[in-house]
Amino acid sequence: MKGLIPEEARLIETHEYVLVFDEEDRARVGISHYAAEALGDVVYVELPEIGQTLAKGDSLGSIESVKAASDLYMPVSGEVVAVNSQLEDEPNLVNDDCYGDGWMLEIKLDRAEEIQALMTPEQYMKFLEESQA
């Protein structure tokens, strides 16, 4: 499934995605396949503490690869309820399955309506095409 964006994902211009589940109360956050491929082999992921509340646009951590280091940003506001601790030992999961096992954190949404302002997979792909033109 690498590279195939789940239909229910919503994305932002800095290439983070949010996948809502649990009847729109909880969501997973990660980076898109495009970002994972652009970074190259991911070697480290720094994530926030469980219980931390972050607003849309806040830094949620950072990611380092063999090519570069980048900050990560919250696509929506919410409280961190889980982090993917598997990434500590296997950061390459971000490259291998960014929308599945390579998820980064789970949040309890503060403002579910923020989801509506994010890009659909189709809009994100168009954004990528236009930004590379």
Side-chain angles (χ1 to χ4, degrees), residues 65-76:
S65 72
V66 294
K67 290 183 181 176
S70 299
D71 289 328
L72 300 167
Y73 298 98
M74 286 291 287
V76 291

Side-chain angles (χ1 to χ4, degrees), residues 37-63:
E37 287 183 10
L39 282 168
D41 293 335
V42 174
V43 295
Y44 179 74
V45 180
E46 179 185 3
L47 298 174
E49 298 290 324
I50 293 173
Q52 192 172 351
T53 299
L54 299 168
K56 180 179 179 179
D58 283 353
S59 174
L60 66 89
S62 62
I63 188 166

Side-chain angles (χ1 to χ4, degrees), residues 27 93 129:
L93 289 174
E129 289 173 14

Side-chain angles (χ1 to χ4, degrees), residues 47-133:
L47 298 174
E49 298 290 324
I50 293 173
Q52 192 172 351
T53 299
L54 299 168
K56 180 179 179 179
D58 283 353
S59 174
L60 66 89
S62 62
I63 188 166
E64 293 180 26
S65 72
V66 294
K67 290 183 181 176
S70 299
D71 289 328
L72 300 167
Y73 298 98
M74 286 291 287
V76 291
S77 303
E79 177 187 349
V80 178
V81 295
V83 295
N84 187 352
S85 58
Q86 197 173 1
L87 295 179
E88 291 176 20
D89 296 328
E90 300 176 79
N92 60 306
L93 289 174
V94 174
N95 297 109
D96 295 342
D97 189 13
C98 62
Y99 301 110
D101 291 341
W103 64 276
M104 295 182 176
L105 56 99
E106 287 183 5
I107 59 170
K108 183 176 186 301
L109 296 167
D110 278 349
R111 296 183 204 111
E113 67 274 11
E114 288 178 338
I115 301 289
Q116 305 307 317
L118 306 181
M119 291 185 280
T120 65
E122 183 176 283
Q123 291 168 326
Y124 179 71
M125 294 306 293
K126 186 174 181 180
F127 164 76
L128 290 178
E129 289 173 14
E130 291 173 356
S131 64
Q132 294 170 352

